[in-house]
Amino acid sequence: MPEFRTEEMVLNMGPQHPSTHGVMRFVVHTDGEVMRVAKPDVGYLHRSIEKIAEKLKYPQFMPFTDRIDYLAAMNCNMGYAMTVEKLAGIEVPPRAEYIRVIASELNRIASHLISVGVMGLELGAVTPFLHAIRERETINDLMEELCGARLTYNYIRIGGVAQDLPAGFAEKTIEFLDHFVPAVDEYNRLLSYNKIFVKRMADVAVISAENAVDYGLVGPNLRASGVKWDLRRDEPYSVYPQFEFDIPVGTGEKGQVGDCYDRYMLRIREMVESSRIIKQCLAAVPDGPVQTKLPASLKVPEGEAYVRTESVRGELGYYVISDGSDKPYRLRIRTGSFSAMSIVELTSRGLMIADLVALIGSLDVVAPEIDR
Amino acid sequence: MEPAAIHEELKSRFGDAVMEFREGNGDPFIVVNGSHLLEIAAYLKEAQGLHFDSLMCLSSVDYGENYAVVYHLYSMQHKRRVVLKVYVEKADPRITSVQSVWKAANWHEREAYDLMGIRFEGHPDLSRILLPEDWPGHPLRKDYVFPEEYDGIPCHRE
């Protein structure tokens, strides 16, 4: 028998690829069907948001935060507002805090719906995506009533929110949640426990808890590796301490802890938890103003602060350095997708080529959040 | 342990390599000399009672007279943070890479190199991450001049 020699082949996946969630590229080194390594190449959506921030006054920068992660614009608004409020010592009215939490958690459900739906889509299951998008449409309608926009909200402002809840908002939201929570079981029957889906996801691309912390994974990706860590609970902010909710963690229910299936399932569970938070929050919203009066030209005292919040893709950190003027001296944004993407090179080693799509989908990266 | 106490402990261990502790509006931070950065970083991660196992954020700043690299560290076990700041000379912006201590630093350092032009020594692959490989200059520097064109493509709107 002659000995067969195998040769490494370098393949290019992206920048335009249906599963790359935006524009990103992977240089895949393959040996037959198995990947030796997949090296991510990012930056195609870099818009130098950090540099733009240095040229704008503090309130003017808010619409740009929408564009950091367009699937979770509300959460991005909130993190930035909280950072400036901390440095400038601005108090937020209680009613505004509750509205912020409602809006952010609704946004979390909308974003997780995309993640869950797209996960199926990427592995060839088209129908669940349509079910997920249907529910998300209702959230988009609610958001439109709330602030006039369906994607880039610019709703949470420094010192409060742009306007009060519209009439009938609470009733409509509760009506939606009553319909949505049972629908999650539908997704589970349709997709989560589908035999083929489980086979494609379980035991694939396992990330250990140690590596997850070392590479700076945050949010659902970190929790899926078995680390019970949620900023809403462990570094509480806003009015989150008042609500009762569970922090789901990866249990390896179909395979190992930290596999693609755990990351997927975690988002399903988080949607239910977010629904619980919204319901409690709607019941407790106090009356009062929704915006603190700010000076016409907001000057932030000299100093620096790093404030992080639990965005949809995990820790979203804003590091703002102020020199006492009305513009940030330096603004740095740390995002969950950035660190999630950096672990792909390690995790992709030895995977099948087809599983790369499962890995990226389960990490739920959003390209503009990586590139900023 | 509060940041001030951590500063005391680092000071007693590393002497002059650990400089002042600054408090003011917002977060306090410890200024550290770049020459002993790797030892200090490893100590913060490994030492009993510290365990700063998570690098939350690594940022670069242009302060006019010099650059700075800022490390926001967090200990998952003890639930506390500490901020390190290292000033880097403008004439030759070099600093030791800490990616051997926290893997998360790998991409953050590449970004700081790309956008601020700080060279991280000992980094396995210090290449541009967000901008094209042949992009001129480092945009986050305060003296950066926006190019008129890139490879024949105009960069300004009419």
Side-chain angles (χ1 to χ4, degrees), chain A residues 266-343:
Chain A
L266 199 101
R267 295 194 170 87
I268 291 266
R269 302 218 164 91
E270 281 201 358
M271 291 196 292
V272 180
E273 295 307 319
S274 289
S275 308
R276 279 176 71 188
I277 297 175
I278 298 168
K279 275 200 170 173
Q280 293 172 56
C281 203
L282 279 169
V285 186
D287 288 330
V290 294
Q291 173 74 46
T292 310
K293 205 160 164 35
L294 296 179
S297 172
L298 177 68
K299 287 206 167 70
V300 173
E302 208 179 320
E304 56 175 76
Y306 178 79
V307 174
R308 51 183 188 164
T309 56
E310 187 73 29
S311 175
V312 178
R313 275 151 204 87
E315 176 179 331
L316 174 75
Y318 288 91
Y319 175 45
V320 174
I321 302 179
S322 170
D323 58 354
S325 71
D326 55 357
K327 293 173 187 159
Y329 183 77
R330 171 85 168 92
L331 186 144
R332 166 112 172 94
I333 307 154
R334 178 258 199 266
T335 62
S337 297
F338 188 78
S339 42
M341 206 57 190
S342 69
I343 205 169

Side-chain angles (χ1 to χ4, degrees), chain A residues 54-70:
Chain A
E54 293 174 10
K55 313 267 178 202
L56 294 175
K57 294 182 176 176
Y58 283 98
Q60 284 179 325
F61 182 63
M62 191 56 86
F64 286 87
T65 63
D66 290 332
R67 277 101 184 143
I68 295 167
D69 177 358
Y70 54 70

Side-chain angles (χ1 to χ4, degrees), chain A residues 40-44 46 48 50-51 54 86-89 213-216 222 227 229 233-235 300-308 315 317 319 321 328-335 337-339 341-343 345 370-372, chain B residues 24-29 45 53-64 70 72 74-76 79 81 83 85 99-108 110-111 115-116 125 128-131 138-144 146:
Chain A
D41 176 17
V42 299
Y44 291 90
H46 181 58
S48 62
E50 292 178 10
K51 185 77 175 179
E54 293 174 10
K86 181 178 175 187
L87 270 180
V213 174
D214 206 17
Y215 276 81
L222 177 65
V227 183
W229 177 257
R233 180 62 55 81
D234 292 290
E235 226 180 64
V300 173
E302 208 179 320
E304 56 175 76
Y306 178 79
V307 174
R308 51 183 188 164
E315 176 179 331
Y319 175 45
I321 302 179
Y329 183 77
R330 171 85 168 92
L331 186 144
R332 166 112 172 94
I333 307 154
R334 178 258 199 266
T335 62
S337 297
F338 188 78
S339 42
M341 206 57 190
S342 69
I343 205 169
E345 192 175 327
I370 305 170
D371 301 342
R372 284 154 287 132
Chain B
N25 183 27
D27 303 334
F29 58 87
K45 188 185 180 188
D53 50 356
S54 160
L55 177 74
M56 295 190 284
C57 189
L58 188 156
S59 326
S60 54
V61 190
D62 182 350
Y63 275 112
V70 189
H72 286 88
Y74 191 76
S75 162
M76 306 275 274
K79 296 196 176 181
R81 343 173 151 197
V83 186
K85 200 178 262 191
Q99 70 86 35
S100 56
V101 182
W102 300 283
K103 286 281 187 299
N106 190 318
W107 275 34
H108 282 283
R110 279 179 69 190
E111 190 183 332
L115 301 180
M116 196 66 88
D125 171 32
R128 285 192 186 266
I129 183 166
L130 297 177
L131 299 176
H138 304 284
L140 277 180
R141 290 182 174 181
K142 293 282 181 188
D143 57 0
Y144 178 72
F146 199 71

Side-chain angles (χ1 to χ4, degrees), chain A residues 115-287:
Chain A
S115 163
V116 163
V118 164
M119 193 69 245
L121 196 64
E122 288 179 338
L123 302 180
V126 180
T127 316
F129 178 66
L130 301 173
H131 285 248
I133 265 302
R134 182 188 64 195
E135 311 308 340
R136 181 171 176 265
E137 205 55 25
T138 318
I139 298 182
N140 279 357
D141 288 343
L142 285 169
M143 291 296 198
E144 196 177 357
E145 272 192 46
L146 188 65
C147 61
R150 294 169 70 83
L151 204 63
T152 47
Y153 308 116
N154 185 25
Y155 174 65
I156 295 174
R157 303 287 170 84
I158 298 166
V161 294
Q163 61 254 323
D164 208 342
L165 295 176
F169 183 84
E171 291 76 16
K172 280 180 198 160
T173 308
I174 287 174
E175 193 188 326
F176 163 70
L177 292 175
D178 286 341
H179 156 81
F180 173 71
V181 176
V184 173
D185 291 333
E186 238 172 70
Y187 300 144
N188 285 340
R189 288 202 298 277
L190 185 66
L191 183 65
S192 310
Y193 298 124
N194 179 296
K195 205 172 170 185
I196 303 166
F197 184 73
V198 171
K199 280 219 152 181
R200 286 292 314 268
M201 300 283 281
D203 286 325
V204 172
V206 178
I207 298 174
S208 70
E210 198 183 21
N211 275 334
V213 174
D214 206 17
Y215 276 81
L217 286 202
V218 286
N221 296 328
L222 177 65
R223 290 193 282 278
S225 293
V227 183
K228 196 165 185 169
W229 177 257
D230 191 313
L231 290 172
R232 292 173 294 175
R233 180 62 55 81
D234 292 290
E235 226 180 64
Y237 56 95
S238 192
V239 287
Y240 280 111
Q242 302 181 23
F243 306 125
E244 215 173 277
F245 59 100
D246 292 330
I247 312 286
V249 285
T251 52
E253 62 175 291
K254 298 282 177 193
Q256 297 171 52
V257 175
D259 60 5
C260 287
Y261 190 81
D262 268 357
R263 286 191 284 276
Y264 161 85
M265 213 49 201
L266 199 101
R267 295 194 170 87
I268 291 266
R269 302 218 164 91
E270 281 201 358
M271 291 196 292
V272 180
E273 295 307 319
S274 289
S275 308
R276 279 176 71 188
I277 297 175
I278 298 168
K279 275 200 170 173
Q280 293 172 56
C281 203
L282 279 169
V285 186
D287 288 330

Side-chain angles (χ1 to χ4, degrees), chain A residues 21-43:
Chain A
H21 293 227
V23 198
M24 62 183 89
R25 174 173 158 246
F26 297 88
V27 181
V28 187
H29 295 251
T30 64
D31 182 356
E33 276 295 300
V34 177
M35 284 189 291
R36 285 194 178 149
V37 68
K39 289 188 176 151
D41 176 17
V42 299

